[in-house]
Amino acid sequence: MSSSEDLKGIIGKHIVYKYGDLGCYEAYFQSENLIVYAIHGGPMKGRSAYQKCYYQKVRDNIYNISWIEETATVVTITVDFEEKKVTCFIAFSQGHWEKNNEAHGDKRNEEDLKRWRGLAKVGDHTKTHVHLDAAPIIEINEGPGNLKPVTMDMPFF
């Protein structure tokens, strides 16, 4: 994990990026251990969530951010502000990938969160769908944009 000083180039930033098959995503790097995101295209369209996460500064303007979702999906994105590119490694759980319509919704909605947690129990955890991709960053802004910031009293995985 990186220090506060190492993360000053990413914390508070809001980016919009677009993968080929997975569609348009946006992410707000709210704090040293929180990410807020929404998915606006592709098979996961309609998902709004937030996660406790781990940041790592690779070098100036390049950061790794990793988290595990309630669905048991594991994500690492590498944000390169210099090249304006996001590279991802996503290991979708069997439930998340095969029942992706059930992964839509907003984590702030108790019913959606409960359904997402159920997706983690579907199938065999050795049957993940691994997705590697790269996406151009379309926008870089300060602050949350249209994403709703998170407070620590909210439910986390």
Side-chain angles (χ1 to χ4, degrees):
M1 214 155 105
S2 297
S3 70
S4 297
E5 184 66 25
D6 286 342
L7 300 179
K8 69 181 182 181
I10 192 167
I11 301 304
K13 295 265 193 286
H14 174 267
I15 64 172
V16 177
Y17 51 105
K18 187 172 184 183
Y19 294 114
D21 293 342
L22 294 182
C24 193
Y25 282 50
E26 66 178 309
Y28 172 49
F29 308 106
Q30 181 177 317
S31 71
E32 294 176 16
N33 59 2
L34 293 173
I35 183 172
V36 182
Y37 58 93
I39 304 169
H40 304 293
M44 304 305 160
K45 178 182 179 180
R47 183 173 171 82
S48 294
Y50 55 88
Q51 304 294 342
K52 286 186 179 178
C53 65
Y54 302 90
Y55 291 89
Q56 178 185 40
K57 181 177 180 179
V58 177
R59 65 175 170 79
D60 288 349
N61 298 311
I62 299 179
Y63 302 87
N64 286 331
I65 304 94
S66 300
W67 65 91
I68 301 172
E69 299 182 354
E70 292 76 15
T71 61
T73 293
V74 177
V75 180
T76 293
I77 62 173
T78 301
V79 178
D80 183 336
F81 287 111
E82 204 169 286
E83 297 290 326
K84 293 190 171 129
K85 182 169 112 177
V86 173
T87 306
C88 75
F89 167 88
I90 306 173
F92 289 100
S93 68
Q94 185 176 359
H96 192 163
W97 186 254
E98 292 179 0
K99 299 180 177 210
N100 63 60
N101 285 336
E102 293 181 32
H104 298 184
D106 190 323
K107 184 174 178 173
R108 292 165 181 84
N109 178 331
E110 193 174 323
E111 289 177 20
D112 291 339
L113 179 57
K114 183 178 179 181
R115 188 177 61 250
W116 294 357
R117 287 178 172 160
L119 292 174
K121 297 173 183 167
V122 172
D124 180 344
H125 287 279
T126 64
K127 294 181 181 175
T128 58
H129 177 84
V130 173
H131 187 86
L132 302 171
D133 211 338
I137 297 175
I138 300 164
E139 292 179 34
I140 302 172
N141 299 297
E142 294 292 330
N146 292 326
L147 296 174
K148 299 174 192 169
V150 177
T151 58
M152 293 307 288
D153 63 339
M154 297 170 79
F156 287 93
F157 172 63

